[in-house]
Amino acid sequence: AFGRERQGNGASMTSRPHVYFLVLSFRYMYHVLTKNTTVTDHNRNLLVETIRSITEILIWGDQNDSSVFDFFLEKNMFVFFLNILRQKSGRYVCVQLLQTLNILFENISHETSLYYLLSNNYVNSIIVHKFDFSDEEIMAYYISFLKTLSLKLNNHTVHFFYNEHTNDFALYTEAIKFFNHPESMVRIAVRTITLNVYKGKLNNQPMLHYIRDKTAVPYFSNLVWFIGSHVIELDNCVQTDEEHRNRGKLSDLVAEHLDHLHYLNDILIINCEFLNDVLTDHLLNSLFLPLYVYSLVNQEKTGERPRISLQVSLYLLSQVFLIIHYAPLVNSLAEVILNGDPAVFSPKVEQDVQKSSVKAGIRCFIKPSETLERSLEINKQKGRKRLQKRPNYKNVGEEEEEEERGPEDTPEGTESPSKEIEMVIMERCKLISATEQNITDEEKSAAASAMCSWNRPFLEMVYNALECADFDYYALFVLCLLYAMSHNKGIKPITLERIQLSAQDAEEKNSYNPGLAERLIRIMSYAAQPDGKIRLATLELGCLLLKQLVFNKHGSIIKDVHLACLEGAREESVHLVRRFYKGEEIFLDMFEDEYRTMTLKPMNVEYLMMDASILLPPTGTPLTGIDFVKRLPCGDVERTRRAIRVFFMLRSLSLHLQDEPETQLPLTREEDLIKTDDVLDLNNSDLIACTVITKDSGQVQRFLAVDIYQMSLVEPDVGRLGWGVVKFAGLLQDMQVTGVEDDSRALNIVIHKPASSPHSKPFPILQATFVFSDHIRCIIAKQRLAKGRIQARRMKMQRIAALLDLPVQPANEVMGFGHSSAATSHLPFRFYEQARRSSCDPTVQRSVFASVDKVPGKPPPPPPPPPPGQPGISPARFFKCSRYVPMLPCCFSKEVFIGVCLGGSLVGRDLKVCEKNPVGSSCCVQIIQYPLWSFISGSVLYIYIRRSL
């Protein structure tokens, strides 16, 4: 029996002893099976080991020697497996048998070998065997075995699973019986099996007819009921968990609903027409309309119709539109929400529909009359009996049956409930379309703003929920719903245009919905209030919708009145941030971190709708673990962060609507910083030689240089004298400098990378010990770095003050950081001149670093001591007005206070000396200097008074 061997496998069996040994082992195992046909306690272990070994040799034979399968079929060894299974052999043997079968079918690669195993209908006999499914291990291996078989389905193997003579498909029907199994992994496996059956591109028409006639309606009706039961359980969890104690259970229920929606979407995108028709009918008429949509406006817990809370309904509908894009389904659902009438839910219509429909209560969320297993058993017993016509979808081959029946077989005056729903929607759409064909954009806007006069209770509820001065609980879900509908590719643009909510990729638009725009701007205004209860997620989503609402391909079409209201909200946000300016020592760090977070992590609505925590009432404590943007602030630090983020959002929106670029943010721009390998002109710059000791790179010789915002480690450029190559550059504001106890010549310097989130730990980009030549240079370096850090933070705080329209006070220059060039004064966001980098012109010799021993500009000599007769008054001088002293006419003779300077000369620094000929000049003034002693700082405090001549 083992005379053949697959070609290309090398030498014969006689030259390979291990192959010959396998052949003998396989024959011996067959002999063991023949001698142990009955399972007992004595031979149970022997049979289990024999089955495992047979599987291993079969897998080897599939890959190396086809004669192994010939012997397997010749001796009909699969019968032994089935006989062992049918005996009450215990879970140990069943588990081992299912495990080995699963491994066997997973590893079979040749189609011929697969056909051998599937022949004689033994596999179907194992599938329909009554296992003890209360055992979790048997259940797991059984469903895994079915999933493995479903992966082998194709146009050739389907004949081994679907029995056309008995009209049975055991692999499919046995799998779907576990669609509501308590174990989630089993339910996931069932979904995988059904999708493999649906999308296998199987052209077997009898099998498709069997799925349509025998299983589609029972399976989808029970599936819809199972999904709705989970939704009601989710709603109960939300209603009873105001204290956030059952968030784990709530998260599991939300994840289960998302899995259901993705599974439904996977079925719909297969684009099997009869399946989509049946599934759409059940989803609309048995779940989405009677449970989700009906709960939007009917919150009274009266009557027998089940309801869910408003927030859960909006949340689940948002998930539906974000995930499912099947046009017939989402268009019908959107029509009911945006243009629907509650007449289809009225008791009178329901009674009429129930009388005329084959299935009573088709538009109600009710439990199916039969379980899925019972329905499959009944349909199996009926055989090929002709089914009654089902509403709202076309059966495969139904045209021929209708022609044979003739028109007299159809009862008169009978209409399906789903057809009635569609007719109500279509009539309303026709009415609206007829009235909208010949109206202008202004009339459309007026109609959209007055839409509450229409009988559209669902849309009216959506608009009313956006009025959220004190509570944005429902507003967040409404914004998510509008966003999801406008980004759904399956919804027709004309459906959204009726409320002038254009789709994401709309091109032509000359008007927008003023009522919706005003509500969105009010949300922004509420968010900018000191005691605002608008969460950051709600505000960001409102900004996204407003941009989408008032923009077309040519730019913004927002009206001036709405833009003025938006500017008012932006001004409110500026005043809000001013309250926290310098209120916290880490205000600068929070300011930059919030901008970085907002830029790098914009709103993702899909992820937002996956978070179950937003279903619970908004809380203000971080102890719940809810993300900051999804809850209210707690404490002054979080209020500061929220005020900064609101300011950023409204500023960005304002600039975007006015088509203006952002020129002042971020405070630190990467393109303006010194970077590694930059070549700089270091002539006339103070450099301190040091040895940098790190854990990774050991010891290296570098020169320390300090700029306005950065410290750099450079090494000499071998090509040009006086130039240096940057080997490291870091921001001074993120630096920490500490001394070394045992060495007065060394400093420990750590520079952290800005954290990506407020809760993440800062990552050090430099952590080294700097060793200098002596302690004097060490002290100089420490002072320079400390003063540089103070100056860098002070300059950025001044730029923040300019953003907030606060008066900018000129900061006293820290030694070593004076830059008086005209170029830098006109480039407030460039930290140094690009000309100071390596340029093509080698004659350019400009220093990037100022000396610590020099102050730019020659200061005037210190004022002489006051004469005895005039204590506190220095000799008068004439000065020309600079930008700090406004121009005044000569007739203005009143003395004006112009400034205070501590320990320096405001006159020499801020005013320029002019010619000593003030006659006829209208810009000459007299500056009087009053020196006073400061008991706080221990230095001289100069007060300056300006007197015009």
Side-chain angles (χ1 to χ4, degrees):
F2 294 97
R4 296 194 316 276
E5 188 177 358
R6 293 192 188 274
Q7 297 179 358
N9 288 319
S12 62
M13 288 186 180
T14 57
S15 62
R16 294 187 296 173
H18 68 282
V19 175
Y20 184 70
F21 174 75
L22 287 176
V23 173
L24 293 179
S25 299
F26 199 62
R27 292 191 176 191
Y28 171 74
M29 293 167 192
Y30 167 71
H31 179 72
V32 171
L33 290 178
T34 57
K35 295 298 183 180
N36 297 271
T37 56
T38 303
V39 182
T40 64
D41 294 337
H42 300 287
N43 64 1
R44 181 178 289 111
N45 293 333
L46 176 63
L47 286 175
V48 167
E49 184 64 24
T50 301
I51 293 172
R52 185 189 61 79
S53 300
I54 289 175
T55 302
E56 293 178 355
I57 297 178
L58 284 176
I59 295 173
W60 175 88
D62 172 67
Q63 301 173 359
N64 297 275
D65 193 345
S66 61
S67 60
V68 174
F69 270 91
D70 293 342
F71 183 82
F72 183 81
L73 292 176
E74 179 185 345
K75 301 301 182 180
N76 203 11
M77 296 177 67
F78 224 126
V79 176
F80 293 97
F81 292 174
L82 194 57
N83 290 335
I84 293 173
L85 195 62
R86 288 172 178 172
Q87 301 179 39
K88 295 182 179 181
S89 54
R91 65 177 299 274
Y92 180 62
V93 178
C94 289
V95 167
Q96 183 62 43
L97 185 59
L98 289 173
Q99 182 182 11
T100 54
L101 288 176
N102 191 23
I103 295 174
L104 178 61
F105 280 95
E106 276 185 350
N107 293 275
I108 291 297
S109 58
H110 290 85
E111 290 187 358
T112 306
S113 303
L114 182 62
Y115 298 159
Y116 286 166
L117 293 176
L118 294 177
S119 59
N120 295 325
N121 206 37
Y122 293 138
V123 173
N124 286 328
S125 300
I126 295 177
I127 292 174
V128 298
H129 179 74
K130 299 298 182 181
F131 291 95
D132 182 14
F133 294 119
S134 61
D135 191 306
E136 294 182 359
E137 195 171 5
I138 292 179
M139 182 73 249
Y141 281 116
Y142 176 77
I143 202 68
S144 179
F145 175 57
L146 297 187
K147 185 173 70 172
T148 302
L149 293 177
S150 69
L151 295 173
K152 302 294 181 180
L153 280 176
N154 54 46
N155 288 327
H156 302 290
T157 59
V158 67
H159 301 285
F160 294 104
F161 297 101
Y162 172 67
N163 192 330
E164 189 173 350
H165 299 288
T166 60
N167 198 22
D168 189 21
F169 193 2
L171 175 63
Y172 176 69
T173 56
E174 293 300 320
I176 61 177
K177 291 178 182 179
F178 300 100
F179 79 99
N180 59 350
H181 194 273
E183 180 60 43
S184 61
M185 296 303 297
V186 176
R187 298 196 300 269
I188 293 173
V190 171
R191 296 166 194 164
T192 304
I193 294 170
T194 56
L195 291 175
N196 289 334
V197 173
Y198 298 151
K199 68 182 180 182
K201 297 182 179 179
L202 308 177
N203 296 323
N204 193 309
Q205 290 300 318
M207 187 207 69
L208 295 176
H209 280 237
Y210 172 80
I211 293 177
R212 176 203 66 188
D213 299 331
K214 302 293 185 180
T215 66
V217 172
Y219 176 55
F220 288 141
S221 61
N222 282 272
L223 178 63
V224 165
W225 167 255
F226 181 68
I227 296 174
S229 301
H230 267 274
V231 168
I232 294 177
E233 184 180 0
L234 188 153
D235 180 67
N236 293 333
C237 186
V238 172
Q239 297 294 328
T240 58
D241 191 27
E242 294 183 357
E243 299 295 329
H244 296 249
R245 296 177 179 176
N246 297 323
R247 284 180 53 198
K249 179 182 178 181
L250 182 60
S251 298
D252 293 339
L253 293 173
V254 169
E256 183 69 20
H257 186 264
L258 288 171
D259 289 343
H260 287 143
L261 292 182
H262 283 290
Y263 172 58
L264 297 173
N265 185 59
D266 290 339
I267 297 176
L268 293 172
I269 62 179
I270 293 173
N271 203 22
C272 183
E273 184 178 356
F274 73 89
L275 277 179
N276 289 0
D277 291 341
V278 178
L279 183 57
T280 301
D281 175 67
H282 281 85
L283 287 176
L284 279 177
N285 298 303
S286 300
L287 182 64
F288 291 160
L289 292 180
L291 186 61
Y292 292 13
V293 178
Y294 184 76
S295 300
L296 293 178
V297 294
N298 297 275
Q299 288 297 312
E300 297 80 8
K301 299 292 183 179
T302 57
E304 299 180 356
R305 183 188 291 272
R307 297 176 180 86
I308 56 179
S309 58
L310 178 60
Q311 64 270 23
V312 174
S313 176
L314 291 170
Y315 180 79
L316 299 182
L317 284 173
S318 300
Q319 290 183 342
V320 170
F321 285 108
L322 285 172
I323 295 173
I324 299 178
H325 295 262
Y326 182 62
L329 175 61
V330 294
N331 270 308
S332 301
L333 191 58
E335 281 287 354
V336 174
I337 295 175
L338 300 180
N339 196 44
D341 193 297
V344 294
F345 296 110
S346 63
K348 182 178 184 305
V349 175
E350 284 183 10
Q351 294 174 3
D352 296 340
V353 172
Q354 291 176 6
K355 290 179 182 179
S356 61
S357 63
V358 176
K359 188 175 181 180
I362 190 69
R363 287 201 316 273
C364 295
F365 176 68
I366 57 174
K367 186 176 182 179
S369 58
E370 301 286 347
T371 63
L372 176 59
E373 191 170 358
R374 177 62 179 166
S375 300
L376 294 176
E377 193 66 28
I378 294 175
N379 289 336
K380 185 177 180 180
Q381 294 175 0
K382 287 182 179 179
R384 302 182 63 86
K385 183 179 179 181
R386 181 172 61 88
L387 298 178
Q388 294 180 345
K389 181 180 178 182
R390 293 181 294 275
N392 201 34
Y393 59 89
K394 204 76 170 177
N395 291 332
V396 177
E398 192 176 28
E399 294 83 356
E400 294 80 359
E401 296 178 1
E402 289 181 353
E403 292 177 0
E404 293 176 1
R405 273 203 312 270
E408 64 276 1
D409 294 338
T410 305
E412 296 181 359
T414 301
E415 290 185 356
S416 68
S418 59
K419 288 292 184 182
E420 182 177 349
I421 294 176
E422 292 181 359
M423 289 175 62
V424 172
I425 297 175
M426 289 174 61
E427 289 297 328
R428 181 169 289 275
C429 293
K430 289 179 181 178
L431 177 63
I432 295 177
S433 299
T435 57
E436 286 183 350
Q437 285 179 353
N438 298 318
I439 64 175
T440 62
D441 294 332
E442 291 76 8
E443 292 173 341
K444 285 184 179 180
S445 299
S449 60
M451 59 182 58
C452 293
S453 61
W454 289 76
N455 190 16
R456 303 192 217 181
F458 308 116
L459 185 61
E460 184 178 357
M461 179 282 311
V462 169
Y463 276 68
N464 291 337
L466 293 178
E467 299 292 344
C468 54
D470 301 322
F471 204 52
D472 72 337
Y473 190 20
Y474 303 114
L476 177 60
F477 299 119
V478 169
L479 293 176
C480 290
L481 177 61
L482 294 176
Y483 178 90
M485 294 174 67
S486 62
H487 286 72
N488 192 297
K489 298 179 181 178
I491 298 180
K492 298 178 181 178
I494 190 173
T495 304
L496 300 175
E497 288 175 0
R498 293 196 182 101
I499 62 168
Q500 292 188 304
L501 179 65
S502 59
Q504 182 184 11
D505 52 355
E507 295 183 358
E508 295 295 337
K509 179 174 62 174
N510 298 320
S511 61
Y512 60 90
N513 189 334
L516 179 58
E518 291 170 2
R519 287 170 172 82
L520 293 176
I521 295 175
R522 275 200 291 270
I523 291 178
M524 300 170 192
S525 179
Y526 296 148
Q529 300 301 319
D531 55 347
K533 301 296 183 182
I534 306 298
R535 290 170 287 179
L536 292 177
T538 306
L539 175 61
E540 187 169 357
L541 201 50
C543 293
L544 289 176
L545 282 176
L546 185 61
K547 289 180 185 178
Q548 181 179 330
L549 189 68
V550 301
F551 261 87
N552 59 18
K553 64 179 182 179
H554 302 294
S556 174
I557 57 173
I558 189 171
K559 298 180 180 178
D560 292 340
V561 60
H562 293 151
L563 183 59
C565 294
L566 179 62
E567 286 298 307
R570 187 189 65 82
E571 288 294 332
E572 291 290 338
S573 69
V574 172
H575 290 289
L576 181 62
V577 181
R578 286 179 183 176
R579 301 178 57 182
F580 302 100
Y581 180 74
K582 289 188 177 180
E584 296 286 341
E585 292 183 359
I586 59 172
F587 181 83
L588 174 61
D589 302 281
M590 288 191 293
F591 192 88
E592 292 191 306
D593 180 72
E594 290 301 319
Y595 186 83
R596 187 185 308 111
T597 303
M598 186 189 72
T599 306
L600 298 179
K601 297 181 180 180
M603 170 70 68
N604 189 316
V605 182
E606 288 79 4
Y607 288 159
L608 178 66
M609 285 292 100
M610 294 170 61
D611 191 353
S613 62
I614 63 175
L615 277 171
L616 301 175
T619 179
T621 172
L623 298 177
T624 57
I626 301 176
D627 190 19
F628 175 62
V629 299
K630 303 171 188 175
R631 59 175 174 83
L632 298 174
C634 177
D636 291 338
V637 173
E638 289 193 348
R639 291 189 185 94
T640 304
R641 291 179 55 196
R642 179 187 178 277
I644 294 172
R645 187 74 71 91
V646 171
F647 167 72
F648 285 148
M649 291 182 190
L650 297 185
R651 175 182 172 85
S652 175
L653 177 62
S654 175
L655 294 176
H656 188 68
L657 293 180
Q658 300 179 60
D659 195 20
E660 295 181 0
E662 176 61 80
T663 59
Q664 302 185 54
L665 291 173
L667 299 179
T668 303
R669 297 199 300 192
E670 291 295 331
E671 60 270 19
D672 294 332
L673 293 176
I674 298 175
K675 300 178 178 61
T676 304
D677 296 329
D678 281 352
V679 181
L680 304 176
D681 178 10
L682 301 175
N683 288 286
N684 197 26
S685 300
D686 278 343
L687 305 175
I688 303 179
C690 61
T691 301
V692 182
I693 304 175
T694 59
K695 295 181 180 180
D696 300 332
S697 59
Q699 298 184 8
V700 291
Q701 296 293 329
R702 294 288 184 262
F703 288 90
L704 175 65
V706 182
D707 192 18
I708 301 178
Y709 287 103
Q710 293 175 277
M711 62 85 66
S712 303
L713 296 177
V714 299
E715 67 177 9
D717 185 9
V718 296
R720 281 179 289 184
L721 182 64
W723 291 70
V725 181
V726 178
K727 293 302 180 182
F728 175 83
L731 292 175
L732 291 170
Q733 70 179 59
D734 300 325
M735 180 182 58
Q736 295 178 358
V737 182
T738 57
V740 179
E741 295 182 358
D742 300 334
D743 192 353
S744 61
R745 301 177 302 117
L747 294 175
N748 289 326
I749 298 180
V750 180
I751 298 180
H752 292 96
K753 181 180 180 181
S756 58
S757 66
H759 304 288
S760 61
K761 185 178 180 180
F763 176 76
I765 58 177
L766 175 66
Q767 189 170 6
T769 301
F770 286 53
V771 181
F772 301 91
S773 301
D774 49 45
H775 70 283
I776 299 298
R777 288 180 173 82
C778 180
I779 295 175
I780 293 174
K782 185 176 182 180
Q783 291 180 352
R784 188 179 300 176
L785 293 173
K787 291 180 180 180
R789 183 179 185 274
I790 296 173
Q791 180 72 359
R793 297 180 68 88
R794 184 182 301 170
M795 293 180 67
K796 286 193 174 183
M797 289 298 291
Q798 289 183 357
R799 291 168 57 188
I800 295 176
L803 280 172
L804 303 179
D805 298 328
L806 292 173
V808 180
Q809 297 293 336
N812 293 331
E813 295 179 5
V814 178
M815 292 186 63
F817 300 95
H819 291 263
S820 58
S821 64
T824 54
S825 63
H826 294 291
L827 296 173
F829 300 102
R830 302 193 65 81
F831 301 147
Y832 59 92
E833 300 174 51
Q834 294 293 338
R836 293 176 179 174
R837 291 192 183 184
S838 177
S839 62
C840 298
D841 185 5
T843 62
V844 178
Q845 300 289 331
R846 304 183 65 180
S847 174
V848 68
F849 301 106
S851 171
V852 296
D853 300 323
K854 294 182 294 184
V855 177
K858 183 179 180 181
Q870 296 180 356
I873 301 178
S874 64
R877 290 181 183 168
F878 296 104
F879 296 90
K880 177 181 274 189
C881 300
S882 69
R883 58 175 181 162
Y884 295 105
V885 180
M887 306 282 285
L888 294 174
C890 293
C891 60
F892 186 76
S893 59
K894 186 177 180 180
E895 294 183 351
V896 179
F897 170 78
I898 62 171
V900 179
C901 183
L902 181 62
S905 175
L906 177 67
V907 177
R909 186 167 303 168
D910 297 332
L911 302 176
K912 297 180 181 179
V913 180
C914 71
E915 298 293 336
K916 291 186 178 182
N917 185 14
V919 180
S921 174
S922 63
C923 64
C924 292
V925 296
Q926 185 182 33
I927 302 298
I928 302 176
Q929 184 184 62
Y930 296 92
L932 298 176
W933 181 260
S934 175
F935 294 97
I936 299 176
S937 61
S939 59
V940 179
L941 180 69
Y942 295 98
I943 299 178
Y944 294 91
I945 301 296
R946 182 189 60 206
R947 178 182 299 167
S948 60
L949 298 178

